[in-house]
Amino acid sequence: YSSLDVAEAFAKALQKPVKVVEITRDRWSETMQKMGFSNEAAASFSNMTTLTIKGEMPTSYRVTRGVVSLESYIAELVHPVV
């Protein structure tokens, strides 16, 4: 999924506009720490993101998607069923 796909799913679930904002690589760890990541988790996630960006993404025929759609997953995050 793209960042825009995720923003659109959140916008639908929240019923309000959601804007995609690019964060420069040098601010990834700092931004994640502000969101509650530990220093170690922020560094690890930043490193994984860097490797993903540098690496080859699988072609569409090699991508395996589960049965839960992005929209329904995010809707459940926003409005959990209790």
Side-chain angles (χ1 to χ4, degrees), residues 4 6 11 16 22 32-33 44 54 62 64 67-68 72 78:
L4 186 55
V6 175
K16 63 182 181 180
E22 183 177 347
M32 286 184 254
Q33 289 171 16
S44 179
K54 287 182 178 181
R62 290 180 48 207
T64 304
V67 296
V68 177
S72 62
V78 173

Side-chain angles (χ1 to χ4, degrees), residues 6-17:
V6 175
E8 288 173 353
F10 270 107
K12 183 175 181 179
L14 295 168
Q15 298 181 6
K16 63 182 181 180

Side-chain angles (χ1 to χ4, degrees), residues 27-54:
R27 296 193 56 227
W28 288 350
S29 288
E30 169 194 344
T31 301
M32 286 184 254
Q33 289 171 16
K34 287 180 182 177
M35 294 185 323
F37 283 65
S38 68
N39 293 345
E40 295 80 10
S44 179
F45 202 86
S46 294
N47 290 335
M48 286 188 294
T49 302
T50 299
L51 291 173
T52 300
I53 289 170
K54 287 182 178 181

